[in-house]
Amino acid sequence: MNRNSLVSISDIGKDEIMRLLRQASYFEANPNQRILQGKVVATLFFEPSTRTRLSFETAVNRLGGRIIGFSDASTTSSSKGETLKDTIKMVSNYADLIVMRHYLEGAARYATEVTDVPVINAGDGANQHPTQTMLDLYSIYKTQGTLDNLTITMVGDLKYGRTVHSLLMALQYFNPTFNFIACKELEMPREYIRFCDEHGIKYNEYRDFTPEVINNTDILYMTRVQRERFTDIMEYEKVKDLYNLNVKMLEGSRDNLRVLHPLPRVNEIDQDVDDSPKAYYFQQAKNGLYARQAIICRALGIEVPEN
Ligand code: CP
């Protein structure tokens, strides 16, 4: 495995997280550079994406590199039966860095085992989404002025939502208090509850989305119910409308509360929230560009100034 790969947020520790955040801040102030000149980055998306793929590709373009890749695996030879191993080995012949999203948990880790080219996990099934976590941390830091001692309320699909799994693990260094709000079918997997127990992380689990919880929250992290992960569509129908945020529900909330969402949203945040100064999800997605510029440079071993 190339040691510059980023498969799980646990591949990097607190110091590296903080360095990447400072570099993201540098790129926010200086987004256009020529530091990737001569580098080719492959974006392999076996699952749909808007933000992750386009922000990675924008990041490469703004840094002067070149992009190859695909956004629809049905147009590639994997549709003829080519294995993931062979695909990765082929792309490694052409590219200096592979950014990959795949529907199978563990696919990104597997990719690192069959190539010496660094691999960045752009989401593997319901498992991990570490680059989303870096932009989430950057967004939290920008809106709260700190990552320490915050109350983070995660709402919705905590079972299949890979972004909440990565974020939970990353926040272990910052003494968070978590509120997990989900129905039984979509509750936080027990392995992450065990992670909290083992790391002394405070958490509460709720079924109801109440004003008491919202009003004691710094970051309200809403999530979409991940329809694509259900094998039985009737099970999805039963849970898809359980948690919905509207602007009235924010009336008693803290001034510093910000609403985050990895996006895309379906119906879990009413459009009336968009005009609230507490809505931060579109800026959050924009922060993904800067966070990914820093992550790409780390993967390629390129030194970057820090703000
Ligand atoms: N947040 C996120 O991963 O969005 P996309 O699926 O659009 O990439």
Side-chain angles (χ1 to χ4, degrees):
M1 168 173 161
N2 186 302
R3 64 184 182 84
N4 290 338
S5 291
L6 180 60
V7 172
S8 163
I9 198 68
S10 60
D11 292 346
I12 53 177
K14 182 178 181 182
D15 288 350
E16 202 149 13
I17 287 174
M18 297 308 295
R19 183 164 63 247
L20 285 168
L21 295 180
R22 290 191 294 271
Q23 292 175 343
S25 175
Y26 167 78
F27 280 122
E28 182 165 7
N30 307 277
N32 297 308
Q33 311 263 335
R34 307 301 297 169
I35 54 182
L36 292 191
Q37 209 145 23
K39 299 291 185 191
V40 176
V41 177
T43 53
L44 314 184
F45 277 69
F46 292 85
E47 260 196 346
S49 167
T50 297
R51 278 145 293 273
T52 309
R53 185 174 66 82
L54 294 181
S55 62
F56 262 114
E57 295 189 356
T58 304
V60 173
N61 281 316
R62 289 200 179 276
L63 296 179
R66 298 288 180 95
I67 297 282
I68 60 169
F70 53 82
S71 57
D72 178 0
S74 71
T75 65
T76 74
S77 288
S78 65
S79 67
K80 303 176 198 164
E82 185 161 55
T83 62
L84 180 60
K85 177 181 177 182
D86 288 3
T87 302
I88 294 297
K89 284 190 126 13
M90 285 306 100
V91 175
S92 302
N93 289 332
Y94 314 135
D96 301 294
L97 169 64
I98 294 173
V99 177
M100 185 176 83
R101 171 170 289 185
H102 203 283
Y103 48 86
L104 289 178
E105 297 177 25
R109 182 70 69 196
Y110 176 72
T112 65
E113 289 167 7
V114 298
T115 180
D116 293 329
V117 170
V119 175
I120 295 176
N121 181 7
D124 62 327
N127 186 30
Q128 286 272 313
H129 197 345
T131 69
Q132 176 73 41
T133 293
M134 289 310 306
L135 76 92
D136 289 346
L137 292 174
Y138 188 52
S139 300
I140 294 170
Y141 189 83
K142 279 177 67 178
T143 61
Q144 306 298 312
T146 181
L147 294 174
D148 291 308
N149 308 317
L150 298 172
T151 298
I152 317 274
T153 296
M154 296 175 165
V155 184
D157 187 347
L158 308 187
K159 178 178 181 184
Y160 297 119
R162 56 196 172 199
T163 69
V164 293
H165 302 158
S166 297
L167 183 58
L168 180 157
M169 293 175 77
L171 284 167
Q172 66 175 295
Y173 306 114
F174 305 105
N175 190 36
T177 301
F178 287 117
N179 296 314
F180 301 133
I181 302 181
C183 59
K184 175 79 183 150
E185 293 84 347
L186 297 177
E187 69 185 9
M188 185 62 81
R190 296 303 93 177
E191 68 192 269
Y192 293 103
I193 295 296
R194 271 197 301 281
F195 182 92
C196 290
D197 291 335
E198 285 163 11
H199 291 82
I201 297 170
K202 300 179 284 297
Y203 64 90
N204 308 291
E205 292 190 277
Y206 300 99
R207 300 281 180 238
D208 295 326
F209 192 18
T210 62
E212 290 70 35
V213 179
I214 295 173
N215 296 348
N216 285 301
T217 289
D218 300 307
I219 292 292
L220 184 56
Y221 197 98
M222 301 296 296
T223 64
R224 173 180 69 92
V225 178
Q226 309 262 303
R227 186 181 55 184
E228 63 274 28
R229 311 270 176 241
F230 285 76
T231 47
D232 180 350
I233 198 67
M234 293 311 292
E235 292 300 312
Y236 168 74
E237 290 292 331
K238 271 198 271 180
V239 298
K240 70 182 173 62
D241 298 321
L242 290 182
Y243 299 103
N244 173 276
L245 179 70
N246 62 56
V247 76
K248 276 189 76 64
M249 294 164 72
L250 297 175
E251 277 175 359
S253 64
R254 296 175 177 173
D255 290 344
N256 66 302
L257 176 138
R258 290 295 177 274
V259 181
L260 269 57
H261 189 309
L263 303 178
R265 74 172 150 183
V266 181
N267 60 353
E268 57 280 357
I269 301 179
D270 280 4
Q271 299 220 359
D272 64 7
V273 179
D274 296 358
D275 297 326
S276 165
K278 296 181 177 178
Y280 195 75
Y281 28 92
F282 294 123
Q283 294 99 316
Q284 178 188 359
K286 185 175 182 187
N287 290 334
L289 169 61
Y290 315 122
R292 290 180 172 122
Q293 285 181 311
I295 290 165
I296 289 166
C297 289
R298 174 189 174 275
L300 290 170
I302 294 169
E303 296 220 354
V304 176
E306 299 170 28
N307 267 5

